[in-house]
């Protein structure tokens, strides 16, 4: 039997593919900042902390990053620390490669007819628009990659420490607990590197206030998606069979 015929290997490929796709999409769509209240036709929610005030504005990357958290926990449960570490390092490499490809594409001289066509469509400078959309700042890229990697590696460690205490029960608890800690790091590390150390030089009150608002959103989204963990577990058991699913979970828990 070929390696790719093994159901466990196929499962890992599918889960990893979905994980990587969402991670890459999240990086590129994240350049857009949207108003949460206006999106749902609700009145603006005005928050105020540390002398900083604002409304609920988030990066569009929040559409897909919660699914990355879900995939992390699913891969963690069935393929363990090694599985998550492997796919996290692969994701970092692919994200860096994607940004290099984007910068290479930006540097290409635009075809005159392409510029003219887009002018007629209401985009006066398509090259500038293209550069803004795909050419995120170096500090933002570095902050995003470092925050992603740290949060992933911390998540997997906490997840498995809880598994050793609870066994395979209480999926919701270990998923929520590991996400709660890892997303503190993800939320604050990226902002600190990109906007405090970076050229905008945010004040510490601004950094803390926006970090807390972002973290609160991520936790609400993570809790709301917990049912998907149980759906994924049912689907995986149905695909692998109960014995094989239990075997993978036991191997994952043993490290």
């Amino acid at each position: 039997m070929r390696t790719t015929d093994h159901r466990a290997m196929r499962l890992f490929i599918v889960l990893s593919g979905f994980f990587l796709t969402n991670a890459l999409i999240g990086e590129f769509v994240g350049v857009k900042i949207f108003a949460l209240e206006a999106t749902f036709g609700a009145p603006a929610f005005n928050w105020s902390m540390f002398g900083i005030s604002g409304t609920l504005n988030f990066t569009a990357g929040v559409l897909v990053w919660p699914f990355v958290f879900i995939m992390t926990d699913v891969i963690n449960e069935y393929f363990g620390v090694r599985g998550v570490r492997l796919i996290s390092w692969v994701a970092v490499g692919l994200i860096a490669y994607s940004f290099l490809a984007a910068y290479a594409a930006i540097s290409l001289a635009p075809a005159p007819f392409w510029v003219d066509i887009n002018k007629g469509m209401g985009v006066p400078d398509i090259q500038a628009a293209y550069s803004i959309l795909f050419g995120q700042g170096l500090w933002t890229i570095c902050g995003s990659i470092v925050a992603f990697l740290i949060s992933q590696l911390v998540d997997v460690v906490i997840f498995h420490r809880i598994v050793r205490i609870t066994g395979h029960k209480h999926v919701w608890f270990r998923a929520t607990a590991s996400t709660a800690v890892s997303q503190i790091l993800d939320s604050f590390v990226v902002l600190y590197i990109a906007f405090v150390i970076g050229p905008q030089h945010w004040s510490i009150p601004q950094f803390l206030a926006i970090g807390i608002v972002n973290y609160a959103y991520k936790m609400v989204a993570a809790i709301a998606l917990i049912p998907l963990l149980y759906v994924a577990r049912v689907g995986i058991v149905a695909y692998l069979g109960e014995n094989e699913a239990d075997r993978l979970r036991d191997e994952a828990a043993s490290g």
Side-chain angles (χ1 to χ4, degrees):
M1 180 181 291
R2 293 177 298 180
T3 300
T4 51
D5 289 334
H6 290 287
R7 286 179 176 260
M9 178 60 70
R10 290 181 180 179
L11 176 65
F12 184 70
I13 292 172
V14 171
L15 293 176
S16 299
F18 194 64
F19 174 97
L20 292 170
T21 299
N22 279 279
L24 288 170
I25 291 173
E27 291 291 343
F28 282 96
V29 303
V31 70
K32 178 175 181 176
I33 306 299
F34 74 99
L36 182 65
E37 307 97 325
T39 298
F40 291 100
F45 176 82
N46 295 294
W47 55 265
S48 180
M49 285 182 285
F50 310 115
I52 305 296
S53 59
T55 55
L56 298 180
N57 299 320
F58 300 102
T59 166
V62 299
L63 291 173
V64 294
W65 277 113
F67 294 103
V68 175
F69 309 153
I70 293 294
M71 286 298 101
T72 298
D73 291 333
V74 173
I75 294 171
N76 209 343
E77 181 164 5
Y78 290 94
F79 298 97
V81 174
R82 292 183 179 181
V84 174
R85 285 178 177 169
L86 171 62
I87 201 61
S88 296
W89 280 107
V90 170
V92 166
L94 291 179
I95 290 169
Y97 171 78
S98 297
F99 279 118
L100 287 175
Y103 274 100
I106 290 169
S107 69
L108 300 174
F113 81 89
W114 181 62
V115 174
D116 292 339
I117 288 173
N118 282 281
K119 281 183 180 178
M121 298 173 64
V123 184
D125 190 343
I126 187 63
Q127 174 64 15
Y130 188 91
S131 300
I132 291 171
L133 288 174
F134 291 99
Q136 297 185 43
L138 183 60
W139 284 102
T140 302
I141 294 170
C142 291
S144 179
I145 290 175
V146 171
F148 168 76
L149 185 58
I150 291 175
S151 65
Q152 287 295 110
L153 298 181
V154 169
D155 187 293
V156 69
V157 171
I158 295 173
F159 187 95
H160 274 279
R161 287 186 178 179
I162 297 174
V163 168
R164 291 172 184 172
I165 298 172
T166 65
H168 297 312
K169 300 178 181 179
H170 308 304
V171 177
W172 66 269
F173 175 70
R174 59 177 175 268
T176 304
S178 61
T179 298
V181 177
S182 66
Q183 289 317 300
I184 289 177
L185 296 171
D186 184 75
S187 298
F188 287 94
V189 169
V190 64
L191 292 178
Y192 191 80
I193 294 175
F195 300 111
V196 177
I197 298 177
Q200 294 192 35
H201 298 300
W202 281 6
S203 66
I204 294 302
Q206 184 178 13
F207 159 69
L208 291 175
I210 294 177
I212 290 171
V213 172
N214 277 271
Y215 175 70
Y217 174 89
K218 289 178 181 179
M219 285 308 303
V220 169
I223 292 171
L225 291 177
I226 283 176
L228 290 182
L229 285 173
Y230 290 91
V231 172
R233 171 179 273 201
V234 171
I236 289 171
V237 171
Y239 176 70
L240 294 176
E242 190 168 348
N243 291 336
E244 178 67 359
D246 287 342
R247 182 187 70 79
L248 285 179
R249 281 199 295 263
D250 291 339
E251 285 186 0
S254 66

